[in-house]
Amino acid sequence: MATTGIRTLDWVDGAVELIDQTQLPHRHEILRIETVPEMVDAIQRLAVRGAPAIGVAGAFGVALAVRAYDTDGERLDEAVASLRAARPTAVNLARMVDRAAGVAGEGFARVLAEAMAIRDEELAASVSMGLYGADLVSELVPDAAIRAMTICNTGGLAAVERGTALAVVHTLHERGVLREALPLETRPLLQGARLTTWELDRMGAAHRLIVDSAGPFLLARGAADVVLTGADRIAANGDTANKIGTFSLALGARHAGVPFIVVAPESTVDSATASGDEIDIEDRGTAEVVSLAGATTAPEGTEALNPAFDVTPADLITAIVTDRRIIRLDRGQTLASVPLGDLRC
Ligand code: MRU
């Protein structure tokens, strides 16, 4: 299976090891996580982040919980609940915690095996999404020099390896049809500036970083042929929660007549949530907004609103690409009308 070689997180010698994403791009540090509170903390401060990656982290967290509290049902339940609630928006976290906790009664080894199966499924899904997505982009943009705009980090760092939207960019690059990627820097935590550029560098793909507010304008000026984004939760009607700024990009793409494609694994599709109105959007508080790189940027006492995600209505989305299917919303298809196909890898 072709991957980037960035293994974001894994089970190594009795603990979870993950790349500390708060330290990139300057330092490549590995965090070793041995307890549930350490895992909850890593998820909450975005040392590990991105919907598929926190799903896998949550499942490994359940293995840590079962190892620690096997005979103490109450403490196990509390530990599982704390993992489940560490971040609210990406459905992958609660879903994978529940899946791993569902076999807790069969013991630590069984839970660990389930977590590893989830890890392997997410890796396979990433490769598959890259192939499906690149085929679709080439169909929509029959050009050998594609310029792809993207937001946040949706690469290997947001998954196990390879990623979601950035897996498509990677595949286009490998096929020799990517002219350049245009990542948005992604305020306030700069996942695009710090992480996506780091990954694009590693894959040797041409790219230029843009500030978030330049995205819609550059689309209007014809600077990109396609917008590719990930997702944290896709509701049954196709409304999609993703990093704050995605909605503005979708509006800009519609205005410019540029395809807007959401790329996410089936594990991010939440048919139990009817529409985007029901999605719980994490607010990360004032501190992240009133400071930059450790320096304060607003007068003391300034309060901020800090939604970490927004919701793009389904009618602004050209297509949703998963690991098992392509849903052409622009052609009237829905999640309910398109059956699951095969994994491509
Ligand atoms: O707050 P983050 O960095 O976890 O937000 C991540 C995103 O919004 C990604 O676009 C999303 O999780 C899909 S990426 C695989």
Side-chain angles (χ1 to χ4, degrees):
M1 204 182 289
T3 68
T4 51
I6 304 169
R7 180 54 69 103
T8 300
L9 76 169
D10 215 339
W11 184 268
V12 182
D13 298 333
V16 184
E17 288 194 350
L18 53 87
I19 299 174
D20 184 347
Q21 298 188 38
T22 65
Q23 300 300 311
L24 287 173
H26 304 302
R27 282 186 299 280
H28 188 284
E29 285 178 8
I30 303 296
L31 268 182
R32 198 167 157 81
I33 296 198
E34 306 196 3
T35 68
V36 171
E38 285 169 7
M39 181 61 90
V40 170
D41 179 59
I43 292 171
Q44 287 180 335
R45 63 186 185 83
L46 275 53
V48 59
R49 45 148 298 283
I54 62 175
V56 176
F60 279 138
V62 176
L64 295 173
V66 171
R67 187 175 64 187
Y69 308 124
D70 191 20
T71 54
D72 184 339
E74 202 173 314
R75 290 187 76 191
L76 179 61
D77 288 350
E78 271 172 27
V80 168
S82 70
L83 287 163
R84 204 177 187 284
R87 295 190 77 190
T89 304
V91 67
N92 303 62
L93 177 60
R95 175 170 280 166
M96 296 313 175
V97 166
D98 288 349
R99 184 169 147 190
V103 295
E106 297 171 51
F108 167 70
R110 176 71 185 86
V111 176
L112 184 58
E114 192 68 20
M116 286 176 167
I118 291 168
R119 173 202 64 193
D120 294 346
E121 287 166 25
E122 289 297 357
L123 177 52
S126 283
V127 176
S128 204
M129 281 181 276
L131 298 172
Y132 274 128
D135 289 352
L136 177 65
V137 171
S138 292
E139 187 187 320
L140 294 171
V141 186
D143 197 327
I146 293 163
R147 299 158 305 162
M149 192 175 283
T150 188
I151 183 168
C152 196
N153 172 265
T154 61
L157 291 167
V160 177
E161 291 185 28
R162 201 90 189 175
T164 60
L166 209 64
V168 177
V169 172
H170 197 164
T171 306
L172 292 169
H173 171 61
E174 286 170 340
R175 291 179 180 177
V177 295
L178 180 76
R179 178 161 142 204
E180 72 172 343
L182 293 166
L184 270 66
E185 60 179 353
T186 319
R187 276 283 290 152
L189 296 179
L190 302 177
Q191 291 94 327
R194 295 186 302 105
L195 309 176
T196 302
T197 52
W198 184 79
E199 291 202 46
L200 287 164
D201 259 342
R202 284 179 64 115
M203 62 178 91
H207 58 279
R208 287 184 288 175
L209 182 65
I210 59 177
V211 298
D212 294 359
S213 45
F217 172 67
L218 288 172
L219 286 168
R221 282 288 168 104
D225 306 297
V226 64
V227 177
L228 294 162
T229 80
D232 288 84
R233 190 182 295 247
I234 301 175
N237 71 345
D239 290 352
T240 295
N242 191 53
K243 180 53 57 190
I244 190 74
T246 304
F247 179 35
S248 321
L249 266 191
L251 288 166
R254 172 58 53 88
H255 180 78
V258 168
F260 180 91
I261 302 174
V262 171
V263 186
E266 289 292 335
S267 56
T268 301
V269 175
D270 180 16
S271 320
T273 295
S275 78
D277 293 343
E278 293 175 22
I279 299 176
D280 187 0
I281 299 294
E282 176 183 11
D283 188 301
R284 293 188 56 83
T286 292
E288 290 174 355
V289 181
V290 298
S291 65
L292 193 59
T296 306
T297 56
E300 209 182 311
T302 301
E303 292 291 328
L305 269 177
N306 185 14
F309 304 97
D310 59 26
V311 176
T312 299
D315 64 6
L316 291 178
I317 299 171
T318 307
I320 296 172
V321 174
T322 79
D323 44 317
R324 307 279 300 274
R325 53 188 168 157
I326 295 175
I327 301 119
R328 290 290 300 262
L329 302 179
D330 62 339
R331 292 183 176 166
Q333 292 182 337
T334 63
L335 285 156
S337 73
V338 180
L340 291 181
D342 293 328
L343 273 180
R344 282 279 298 276
C345 54

